[in-house]
């Protein structure tokens, strides 16, 4: 079922009818998570890698990281680390020994096994925007607090686009649902509207345990089968500088003990919560991430861990975060080198500071996405739909970003760079000669339909034809595509019994009061 | 004088007053053509490079290239190539011997020696959009035929922006000037409004010779001094497939014989004038370019030559050219590998198919510009101002592109990736500790002003502040910046006698009838 929205152009066959029902409006590429064969861009020489590594180790050994979580402090003590109050100092030998347990690559299998994703190696995966508190679309025309309906629409986009390989956090925070039960409703929507790998927020034990239960129910798994391998994941941020809070570490410990994956992503904003120098901000980020990953490997050797980067810089004028900057790109590339140094899969993001889905939004997002490619990133969070430094989710931006993501997928297809004799095509060149063209020859006709990337949001007509069709700018075209997708959306199949079991679970947990909201 | 529009932030000092006069509105980076230290992205293995090389050589040896220029045919005969009518076949040994004469790097020195540019090696240079017949801006709101006034405004942008390192062809074709004298008026405007390296169209001997004379006059050079090294350049396209026309080859021969630089850029559109396979289109492009460069090296060994790429693909639906596609990116990267294989500097472009300066325009242009960076391109044509596949010049797009170009320049500054102990900043991290922030500490204060890229067109404020300031989208902001720059523009200094001599030359040549228009 993974290719149910496979395109007419590329697909047809058994999936053709479903594709036609699912979208009358656009052709898209089939589900096929890409492999990034490009050699990463590596701004650091070996001595630069060593300098960041040594800096991170000195932070861990001499300065220490604050762990506010009591259980973590006990574990660190047990492991022989120096624990002073909430400060934990750990030797580099121990840290490197723990990192040695971490797998360089692992799979996560959601309820639809065809949507299994592989994290690590040369794999690169894209996920939807996660966690903006606000929503903006061209019809509303202003920034509004997120709702469950908007969140569900963005989950529909997450499911619809084959270039979105996993479902991140809430694509917009539905503030019309009480925080105590929000996770239950949104994860119910996520489980029923998508069949892709899902995420749990580490915001208290109830939230993360509830999501694990719902993933188990949706996948029809016993506890043993669930815990045997990753079926979902959590993502945490440190509280930079130098601190991990209570619920985030708690959520990760719960996940790794039940075999689920964790992503540790410090948010080191150079000049604010991190040094003003990019390598300094990266060094702090590495230290914060490794301290947590070392703990998780101590608790569950071989646990599926990803090192995340969210290093950017502030605006020098206002102190506000900036995204998709040259400094952001270099920090991401440097972190990629460090992730390979430690043998860990890596997460980065698709980000921008722009407030609306315009030119700035796309140059900033393009910068961040290409730096993910260049850095050998395995997991790209927020790859579609992000605006205003993550404070706004936008369906138009989601659609526009998916065009860029599809182009990156196509860019990575080996066919584009093939150099067999048929590709070099000297015979075709001879056949056409100096006075012909290549439109009609067999060499072209045999390859024409799949030779080039076919866009769905870009308008490649000339100005006159574009103008005659209404002169519609990109964001407005994206809005129309968004509406078409939502109106034609069909949820992925789910057994009625499973759906009922999920609903029963939600009802029961709501009756129990959901999760506490007092932290 | 090269840094007269140096920024207040970065500049000050002697150039400060001029900078303040020149622009009340924006800060920009100083004139400082970047060095691209990134290892290029190389999609081809050694066997792929060899396959394209062998294909190109087989085209040159077995199929041959049409040269419609009689003088060129005579020269090829003299060199021992097989000339049959207009078909020229040349052995790979001879071609490689000729390429052996070509310099891997050379300088071009315009009338202001501070604006000297170095082409080749790790240098990367950006030029303005060249040759669109039409103009679009937000005030006019529609596509119109280009005029001299619009052309002059775009030349002002070319001069103003320090990230634009050379002046390409006409930034818009001023069709309100008769074709016979158009080159005289535009080059007069170019010589007086800019002091950067200039270009001559190879469209008949009068045009290219007139430009050489005007560059001589503007630079105050004797013929001997002019011919001693490159002071300007021409760029030609082949008539793909497999053909070089009369005036383009004539113009290049005139340039190389007088020591000036030439860029040879086939326009191989995969699926139309070139094979539908990208490596096939690149192979054809290489063959066409090398055939001309070999001729120029035969005529003037050591002549300054650049191999250009303009390989893209058609839209599968309409047959129209597409730009900034995944296929375009890979073709550019492959051509970069071939340029290094032949030891030639390389030219690529900043391009898009979009009709207006919106999101699509910026993701397509970002794709093309990043592929120029990834491919080790030395000269980026059309880097600012291009729309509609090169049929429209846009001042808003020019301004927006310059923001991206500045970010690429900043991306290439070694400071961004420095890893000295002060950059790693463990002492600063220790000083701040787990409960502080980095805003106020000396480590930040000492570096803050120059630590990060400072944008001029991007709006990094939050949504509320942006909305309160009018909620202006990027293209409209760029329009205002364009107006500010034009209204505050001061032409670079030029001796009155030189200006008079240029005017006299133009008047005399107009009286003589300018250039024929019957080819």
């Amino acid at each position: 079922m993974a290719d149910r929205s496979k395109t007419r152009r590329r697909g047809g066959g058994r999936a053709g009818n479903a594709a036609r029902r699912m979208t009358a409006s656009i052709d898209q590429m089939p589900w096929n998570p890409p492999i990034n064969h490009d050699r990463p861009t590596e701004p650091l020489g070996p001595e630069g890698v060593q300098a960041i590594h040594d800096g991170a180790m000195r932070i861990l050994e001499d300065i220490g990281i604050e762990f506010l979580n009591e259980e973590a402090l006990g574990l660190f003590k047990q492991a022989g680390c120096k624990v002073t109050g909430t400060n934990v100092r750990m030797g580099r030998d121990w840290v490197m020994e723990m990192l040695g347990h971490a797998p360089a690559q692992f799979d996560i299998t959601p309820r639809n096994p065809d949507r299994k994703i592989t994290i690590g190696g040369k794999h690169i995966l894209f996920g939807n925007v996660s966690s903006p508190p606000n929503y903006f679309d061209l019809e509303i025309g202003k920034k509004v607090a997120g709702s469950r309906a908007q969140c569900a629409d963005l989950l529909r986009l997450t499911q619809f686009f084959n270039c979105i390989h996993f479902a991140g956090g809430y694509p917009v925070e539905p503030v019309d649902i009480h925080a105590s039960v929000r996770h239950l409703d949104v994860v119910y929507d996520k489980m029923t509207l998508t069949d892709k790998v899902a995420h749990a927020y580490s915001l208290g034990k109830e939230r993360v345990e509830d999501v694990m239960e719902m993933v188990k129910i949706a996948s029809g798994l016993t506890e043993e089968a669930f815990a045997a391998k990753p079926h979902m994941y959590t993502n945490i941020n440190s509280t930079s500088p130098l601190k991990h809070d209570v619920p985030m570490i708690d959520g990760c410990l719960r996940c790794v003990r039940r075999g689920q994956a964790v992503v540790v992503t410090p948010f080191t904003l150079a000049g604010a919560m991190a040094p003003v120098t990019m390598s300094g901000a990266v060094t702090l980020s590495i230290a914060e991430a490794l301290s947590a990953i070392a703990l998780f490997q101590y608790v569950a050797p071989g646990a599926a861990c990803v090192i995340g980067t969210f290093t950017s810089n502030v605006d020098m004028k206002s102190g506000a975060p900036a995204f998709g900057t040259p400094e952001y790109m270099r920090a991401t590339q440097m972190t990629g080198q460090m992730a390979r140094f430690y043998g860990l899969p890596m997460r980065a993001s698709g980000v921008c500071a722009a407030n609306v889905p315009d030119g700035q939004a796309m140059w900033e997002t393009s910068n961040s996405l290409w730096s993910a490619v260049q850095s050998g990133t395995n997991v790209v969070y927020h790859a579609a739909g992000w605006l205003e430094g993550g404070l706004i989710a936008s369906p138009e931006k989601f659609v526009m970003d998916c065009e860029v993501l599809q182009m990156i997928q196509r860019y990575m297809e080996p066919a584009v760079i093939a150099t067999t004799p048929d590709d070099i095509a000297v015979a075709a060149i001879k056949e056409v000669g100096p006075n012909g063209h290549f439109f009609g020859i067999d060499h072209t006709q045999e390859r024409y339909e799949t030779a080039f990337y076919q866009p769905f949001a870009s308008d490649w007509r000339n100005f006159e034809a574009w103008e005659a069709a209404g002169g519609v700018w990109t964001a407005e075209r994206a809005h129309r595509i968004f509406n078409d997708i939502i109106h034609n959306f069909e949820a992925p199949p789910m057994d009625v019994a499973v759906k009922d079991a999920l609903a029963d679970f939600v009802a029961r947990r709501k009756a129990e009061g959901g999760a506490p909201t007092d932290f």
Side-chain angles (χ1 to χ4, degrees), chain A:
Chain A
M1 294 310 297
D3 58 353
R4 56 177 292 140
S5 52
K6 210 165 171 180
T7 71
R8 269 163 283 177
R9 177 172 62 81
R10 293 170 178 275
R14 69 187 168 81
N17 287 334
R20 261 180 289 280
R21 274 202 314 280
M22 192 152 177
T23 168
S25 49
I26 73 161
D27 282 351
Q28 64 167 321
M29 292 172 76
W31 167 270
N32 189 19
I35 309 290
N36 180 6
H37 287 290
D38 283 2
R39 190 167 52 184
T41 299
E42 304 204 316
L44 301 176
E47 71 297 339
V49 171
Q50 202 54 48
I52 291 179
H53 169 61
D54 184 63
M57 294 300 122
R58 285 166 56 209
I59 292 169
L60 296 177
E61 290 176 335
D62 303 337
I63 302 176
I65 306 289
E66 303 290 309
F67 280 80
L68 305 188
N69 183 295
E70 284 295 337
E71 185 185 8
L73 293 170
L75 289 162
F76 277 118
K77 264 183 215 162
Q78 181 185 307
C81 299
K82 291 178 198 145
V83 178
T84 313
T86 54
N87 179 277
V88 181
R89 283 177 292 161
M90 51 196 89
R92 67 182 71 198
D93 291 347
W94 180 78
V95 171
M96 295 303 282
E97 184 193 337
M98 292 303 108
L99 296 180
H101 300 314
Q105 182 172 309
F106 59 86
D107 294 341
I108 308 183
T109 309
R111 70 173 176 94
N112 177 353
D114 291 347
R115 302 289 197 187
K116 184 179 75 176
I117 55 178
T118 301
I119 292 180
K122 293 185 179 299
H123 299 268
I124 179 168
L125 301 160
F126 305 122
N128 57 273
V129 62
S130 301
S131 314
N134 305 295
Y135 177 92
F136 171 95
D137 76 22
L138 292 190
E139 200 171 318
I140 297 175
K142 60 182 179 181
K143 178 179 175 178
V144 294
S147 70
R148 183 176 181 180
Q150 291 156 357
C151 182
D153 278 350
L154 292 165
L155 287 172
R156 291 181 179 99
L157 294 181
T158 297
Q159 174 66 12
F160 174 79
F161 280 108
N162 291 322
C163 61
I164 300 298
H165 306 116
F166 65 94
Y170 311 156
V172 71
E173 189 83 27
V175 296
D176 57 347
I177 313 176
H178 191 271
S180 61
V181 296
R182 189 179 297 160
H183 66 289
L184 296 166
D185 284 338
V186 178
V187 176
Y188 177 84
D189 291 348
K190 190 186 282 187
M191 288 293 122
T192 53
L193 292 173
T194 89
D195 61 4
K196 299 180 181 178
V197 164
H199 155 280
Y201 284 102
S202 285
L203 293 173
K205 79 170 181 187
E206 293 80 3
R207 285 186 181 78
V208 67
E209 296 283 2
D210 284 346
V211 176
M212 284 197 271
E213 289 310 308
M214 292 176 77
V215 170
K216 259 174 69 180
I217 295 168
S219 303
L221 296 172
T222 62
E223 175 61 24
E224 192 181 11
F226 175 74
K229 62 182 186 182
H231 296 276
M232 43 77 71
Y233 73 101
T234 189
N235 177 81
I236 65 163
N237 308 114
S238 45
T239 308
S240 302
L242 299 169
K243 198 180 292 178
H244 284 285
D245 72 10
V246 178
M248 296 250 179
I249 294 295
D250 175 77
C252 286
L253 289 173
R254 289 175 190 281
C255 280
V256 297
R257 282 172 170 149
R258 291 176 70 184
Q260 305 309 303
V262 300
V263 183
V264 183
T265 312
F267 180 20
T268 45
L269 198 60
M273 295 91 88
V276 73
T277 47
M278 297 319 293
S279 63
V282 168
T283 300
L284 179 60
S285 177
I286 296 290
E288 292 177 359
L290 294 187
S291 68
I293 292 173
L295 173 68
F296 305 147
Q297 293 301 324
Y298 176 72
V299 170
C305 291
V306 175
I307 187 166
T309 174
F310 213 84
T311 300
S312 193
N313 61 285
V314 295
D315 177 3
M316 293 189 299
K317 288 181 178 166
S318 67
F323 292 102
T325 62
E327 291 79 15
Y328 174 93
M329 296 183 74
R330 287 303 197 189
T332 305
Q333 294 170 354
M334 288 193 272
T335 305
Q337 292 189 256
M338 301 313 298
R340 287 188 290 283
F341 178 80
Y342 296 115
L344 293 169
M346 171 174 161
R347 172 225 144 152
S349 305
V351 286
C352 64
N355 293 304
V356 282
D358 62 356
Q360 178 189 334
M362 297 321 294
W363 75 56
E364 290 177 336
T365 300
S366 292
N367 281 359
S368 63
L369 290 175
W370 282 112
S371 73
V373 172
Q374 294 162 341
S375 62
T377 291
N378 303 110
V379 179
V380 185
Y381 242 65
H382 309 300
W386 158 298
L387 283 177
E388 201 204 2
L391 296 176
I392 292 177
S394 152
E396 294 92 0
K397 178 72 168 21
F398 200 117
V399 169
M400 291 160 71
D401 288 341
C402 283
E403 181 86 290
V404 178
L405 297 178
Q406 282 209 158
M407 285 194 282
I408 292 173
Q409 288 209 170
R410 170 65 180 163
Y411 167 91
M412 289 178 181
E413 287 181 5
V416 186
I417 54 169
T419 54
T420 68
D422 273 355
D423 294 301
I424 300 293
V426 174
I429 291 166
K430 187 166 192 174
E431 179 187 345
V432 170
N435 298 311
H437 59 71
F438 289 76
F439 280 121
I441 63 167
D442 286 348
H443 184 267
T444 304
Q445 290 301 315
E446 287 160 8
R447 293 165 179 80
Y448 203 62
E449 291 203 346
T450 56
F452 309 129
Y453 175 68
Q454 176 67 36
F456 64 84
S458 300
D459 193 322
W460 285 355
R461 291 175 292 189
N462 66 21
F463 189 94
E464 289 72 17
W466 168 83
E467 195 175 37
V472 183
W473 287 44
T474 303
E476 179 64 32
R477 292 200 303 274
H479 185 77
R480 296 177 187 182
I481 292 168
F482 159 59
N483 279 336
D484 280 349
I485 291 170
I486 297 304
H487 290 143
N488 292 294
F489 182 79
E490 286 181 25
M494 175 179 265
D495 277 358
V496 174
V498 171
K499 200 167 183 175
D500 288 348
L502 278 174
D504 289 348
F505 179 85
V506 168
R508 176 170 67 78
R509 290 288 298 118
K510 282 188 178 180
E512 291 168 3
T517 55
D518 59 347
F519 61 86

